[in-house]
Amino acid sequence: MFLETLVDFIIIHKDDLQDWLFVLLTQLLKKMGADLLGSVQAKVQKALDVTRDSFPFDQQFNILMRFIVDQTQTPNLKVKVAILKYIESLARQMDPTDFVNSSETRLAVSRIITWTTEPKSSDVRKRSRVGEDFPTRSTSTCSGPGEGNLEESCKQVD
């Protein structure tokens, strides 16, 4: 019941919830890392989908980068996979100008690469490869998702 109400709340009050987006997004992603019944997981995914569609993409991207580099966060493998899935779906909808080339973004990309080398992270490795089939965009000055090595692309713009 709560998750259905949350979805309605986001849809109705999204303009007033900008300051609450960090908490909303990170808590939903953490929830995806818990052992949930399939029906509850579908409701959390619906809340994530509505969140992605209701708020500015660049703001969400910045929040995700901040969450990934936050030293106080130690996401489990399921949360890491949920983060990568969310970034992938978000990146598919973003314009090249929405991507921010900051030290935080570069650190987040580096952290994601580190996740893929962890011994027990086969799901994370699989998820990180999914983005390789992104369509390329020729209008960007910095390579976008799927256009070569993202870490190298971000370094080039500095």
Side-chain angles (χ1 to χ4, degrees):
M1 179 72 173
F2 172 75
L3 288 169
E4 294 97 348
T5 305
L6 178 63
V7 167
D8 292 338
F9 184 77
I10 294 167
I11 291 168
I12 294 168
H13 298 287
K14 63 185 174 190
D15 294 333
D16 300 321
L17 298 176
Q18 300 294 323
D19 294 336
W20 189 58
L21 182 57
F22 181 86
V23 173
L24 172 66
L25 190 52
T26 57
Q27 292 303 315
L28 287 172
L29 288 167
K30 287 180 193 177
K31 190 75 168 165
M32 289 297 281
D35 290 328
L36 303 172
L37 295 173
S39 60
V40 176
Q41 190 170 12
K43 291 174 185 176
V44 174
Q45 186 60 53
K46 172 72 174 168
L48 280 168
D49 293 342
V50 168
T51 300
R52 185 184 54 251
D53 296 338
S54 298
F55 296 95
F57 299 144
D58 60 331
Q59 186 179 4
Q60 294 177 67
F61 183 79
N62 292 336
I63 285 170
L64 291 167
M65 297 303 106
R66 189 169 29 147
F67 181 63
I68 290 169
V69 301
D70 186 348
Q71 296 289 337
T72 65
Q73 301 297 325
T74 53
N76 65 33
L77 291 177
K78 287 183 179 181
V79 174
K80 290 174 183 177
V81 170
I83 290 168
L84 291 174
K85 284 181 180 179
Y86 194 89
I87 289 172
E88 178 189 3
S89 63
L90 184 65
R92 290 184 184 275
Q93 297 179 18
M94 292 173 70
D95 289 326
T97 57
D98 290 335
F99 292 96
V100 176
N101 181 18
S102 65
S103 59
E104 190 169 65
T105 300
R106 290 188 299 275
L107 182 58
V109 169
S110 178
R111 176 102 9 108
I112 291 169
I113 292 167
T114 301
W115 290 351
T116 66
T117 62
E118 294 171 353
K120 295 183 179 181
S121 63
S122 65
D123 288 341
V124 173
R125 277 193 296 280
K126 288 176 194 170
R127 201 68 230 168
S128 69
R129 285 189 213 122
V130 171
E132 292 176 359
D133 65 351
F134 278 139
T136 59
R137 298 182 186 197
S138 59
T139 59
S140 175
T141 57
C142 177
S143 296
E147 294 180 315
N149 184 322
L150 182 58
E151 187 175 39
E152 288 301 313
S153 302
C154 289
K155 287 179 183 174
Q156 292 172 3
V157 173
D158 273 354

